[in-house]
Structure formats: C-alpha cells, structure tokens
Amino acid sequence: ALFMITLGIIISTLTVTSANHWLTAWLGLELNMISILPVITKQKHPRSTEAATKYFLTQAMASALLLFSSTLNAWQTGSWDITQLNNKLSCILMISALTMKMGAAPAHFWLPEVLQGSTLTTTLLITTWQKIAPITLLYMISNHIQSNILLPIGLLSILVGGWGGINQTQLRKMMAYSSIAHLGWTMTVISIAPNIALTNIIIYMAISTPFFLLLTSSSSKTLQTMTTTWAHAPTATIIMMLLLLSMAGLPPLTGFTPKLLILDKLVMHKLTPAATTMAILSLLSLTFYLRTMYLLASTTSPTTTQSTTLWRLKPNYYQITTILTPIALFNITILPALLA
C-alpha cells in the first residue's frame, strides 16, 4: 500500500509538470490529492481526520476553479494549451485556484490547520513536494500574468507568514507560516523573472527538508521540546540553528541568495516601494526564526533546562540531511552560476 501511495504521489506530480493540456494537469492534481489523503489520515486520530477533510475540501475547490478557468479559456480562445492562457478572466481565476492549491495568502487558512494535524514527515511532504505541481503551472502561465495581480498576493503572503508565525509555539504551525512567507517571495517575482522565482522555491525546499528531518529524528513538535535537543544530538542542534538562519535569509547563507536576486529584479523593474515593503516585512519572519534559534542556542550544554527529555526512538534521516545541509547553508557553490 505504501509503495502504491508513494508511486501515486510521484507519478501525479510528474504528470502535472510534463503536461501541455489543461485536462492532463487537472487529472494529475486530482490524483495527487487522492494519493496524499491516506498519508494524512495514517494516524488514527480525530485531528488527522479533520486535517485530511480540510485538505480535501480546499484542494477539491481549487481543482474545480482550475477546471472552470481552463474551460472558460478554451471556450473563448479554442486552445487547451497551458501556455496559451490568453483570456484575462481565466488568468485571474487560474491564479486564485493555484494560490489556494499552494496555500498562499489570502487562501492560506487551511495550511497551518492541516499541518498541525499531520505527522512531521507528512508536513514535510505537504510543504515541499506538494508545492511542485501548482508552482510549475504558475511558471508555465507566468508570461500571461500581470505583476499587479501577483504583487499584492505576494506581499500579503509575506505579511501573513511573518505575522502568523510570531505567536506560534507549535513548530508545525510555525513552519506552515514560514512556507506561506516563502511562497509570497516566489509569487511577487514569478511574472517578472520566473527562473528566479523557481530558484527561490527550490532553495526553500533544500533548506526546509533537512530541518524537518532533524525535527523528526529529535521528536521535536513544540518550542519547549526543542530545548532538550542538544542532549540528543549536539551537532544536529548546531545544524538546525544554521538552517533557521538560512531560512530567515541572513547574508552568508544560501537563503539570502534568492531574496537578494528577487529584490534586485524588483528594483530593476521600478518596483522599489514593493521591494522595500518586502524587505521590512521579512523582519517579522526573522523574529520567530531568531526566537527559535535562541531557544536552541541558549539551552546547549552545559546549561540545564527545565523541560523533561523525551524518549527519542525515531529513525534518523542523517543520509538525506548530510546531502542537503551543505546546499542549504553554503552559498559560494551556486552563487556565480545564479548571478551570471
């Protein structure tokens, strides 16, 4: 069963990414949604059932909107080709559908709730792999999108992602808001420089994957349980601190590169006020990344903590973490290629 579900998730995403016809893309998205539902409901708990129901309803609504948008476009232009989304109304409806699929603001309400009801590995799957299909579609229609539609969506996502994450003590909800903020950065620039937007989301995935895997192996679900991580694995604690700083976009680390490139492109397109607003709003996200990092740093040995240490018998994913961590932290290797 697990093999079939994994195969379903992979094939459905690949179907969407290689599709030329709107119906093929829609079929891939539907298959993707059906494949992920058993993964969310794996835990026999009311909260996971609730999460799966919320996920199903939102995704089904977004799929219906996507189908309506593509049908309207085909009716007006006679083309089902993904890259030929010429009808203005279809374009706006398609952006709304894909925004809802990804979980960007203002259609973000389902994401923190669904992630809170899922396990950490499912959370990782939803925040990384599940974003590939809608972002690919957005990338394919990017030449038809006006930046004045996506810019407010992006700015709102960065604001919501920063503001929502500040008050969280649950790590899964905090990472959900972090995901919304990163989607905001991607959405602001996708109509201006789609390749940079894609680079941003790929780098976000490369940073959040090892972070989630380290959380899973240290059984950390709240900020309080994070305080005892150093006793389990001091090296992992240091790596997690660096990954958080990279996610916040602090200069020497990889997370800074896409942010710099995005701001540069916006300024080049005379959108300096938007770029300034984004830079200021990203400080909201920085607040909760730094708070989490401070919690990890201030409780490292020899400091004692008041929290009880957990039984940590989870599998460790150190092989994947080892491969992805250098990419997530060291900028030097990819920077010249990106700026060329």
Side-chain angles (χ1 to χ4, degrees):
L2 182 67
F3 173 72
M4 288 305 290
I5 289 166
T6 313
L7 199 67
I9 292 169
I10 294 168
I11 287 174
S12 59
T13 305
L14 293 178
T15 307
V16 179
T17 50
S18 58
N20 283 323
H21 196 284
W22 275 118
L23 284 181
T24 321
W26 173 78
L27 198 71
L29 287 168
E30 287 296 299
L31 181 61
N32 187 270
M33 178 184 71
I34 292 160
S35 304
I36 196 98
L37 287 175
V39 182
I40 301 172
T41 50
K42 191 168 177 273
Q43 281 181 303
K44 301 290 178 281
H45 193 278
R47 189 170 274 173
S48 57
T49 314
E50 184 192 334
T53 312
K54 282 177 180 171
Y55 187 81
F56 171 75
L57 290 172
T58 349
Q59 298 296 317
M61 227 163 97
S63 291
L65 202 55
L66 181 137
L67 199 57
F68 175 62
S69 165
S70 51
T71 312
L72 189 67
N73 185 63
W75 181 42
Q76 292 288 322
T77 62
S79 169
W80 282 97
D81 197 321
I82 292 177
T83 52
Q84 302 298 317
L85 197 71
N86 297 320
N87 188 2
K88 209 163 190 179
L89 178 62
S90 288
C91 202
I92 293 166
L93 287 171
M94 188 58 69
I95 292 166
S96 309
L98 294 175
T99 301
M100 202 185 288
K101 277 260 174 222
M102 285 185 287
H108 66 281
F109 296 101
W110 63 272
L111 191 64
E113 300 299 321
V114 169
L115 296 198
Q116 189 53 36
S118 315
T119 60
L120 279 164
T121 33
T122 313
T123 307
L124 167 66
L125 193 65
I126 295 169
T127 49
T128 55
W129 185 264
Q130 293 300 95
K131 301 265 184 283
I132 295 172
I135 279 175
T136 308
L137 290 176
L138 204 60
Y139 180 83
M140 287 164 87
I141 63 165
S142 59
N143 57 336
H144 292 290
I145 306 170
Q146 265 93 32
S147 59
N148 60 1
I149 298 170
L150 278 185
L151 212 56
I153 293 175
L155 287 169
L156 187 64
S157 294
I158 299 168
L159 175 66
V160 166
W163 220 310
I166 284 178
N167 205 23
Q168 299 301 331
T169 53
Q170 293 285 341
L171 288 172
R172 282 167 293 185
K173 276 197 174 178
M174 194 183 87
M175 291 310 290
Y177 284 109
S178 157
S179 168
I180 293 164
H182 278 89
L183 279 174
W185 281 86
T186 304
M187 305 248 326
T188 44
V189 83
I190 202 157
S191 59
I192 299 164
N195 290 347
I196 289 177
L198 221 54
T199 307
N200 179 51
I201 209 73
I202 290 165
I203 287 176
Y204 166 67
M205 287 173 187
I207 299 168
S208 62
T209 304
F211 184 71
F212 270 117
L213 293 176
L214 286 170
L215 284 183
T216 311
S217 59
S218 64
S219 307
S220 302
K221 289 191 180 75
T222 62
L223 286 177
Q224 192 185 2
T225 51
M226 265 189 121
T227 57
T228 59
T229 311
W230 69 268
H232 169 63
T235 321
T237 311
I238 294 161
I239 291 170
M240 277 160 90
M241 282 157 51
L242 288 169
L243 287 170
L244 280 164
L245 290 178
S246 184
M247 219 178 280
L250 289 180
L253 305 162
T254 310
F256 174 66
T257 313
K259 285 188 167 64
L260 177 71
L261 293 174
I262 289 168
L263 294 176
D264 177 52
K265 271 281 175 271
L266 289 171
V267 171
M268 274 171 67
H269 282 78
K270 296 186 171 58
L271 291 167
T272 315
T276 313
T277 313
M278 285 165 70
I280 292 166
L281 289 178
S282 67
L283 295 175
L284 288 168
S285 299
L286 180 65
T287 310
F288 64 81
Y289 289 129
L290 281 180
R291 182 187 58 188
T292 316
M293 201 216 88
Y294 174 74
L295 262 178
L296 281 167
S298 61
T299 55
T300 46
S301 184
T303 317
T304 52
T305 57
Q306 302 303 313
S307 315
T308 50
T309 308
L310 301 166
W311 281 103
R312 291 191 166 103
L313 303 168
K314 293 282 168 78
N316 55 40
Y317 301 94
Y318 291 137
Q319 295 88 344
I320 311 169
T321 313
T322 312
I323 296 162
L324 285 173
T325 304
I327 301 167
L329 295 181
F330 307 124
N331 226 342
I332 304 95
T333 47
I334 56 166
L335 196 58
L338 287 175
L339 292 172

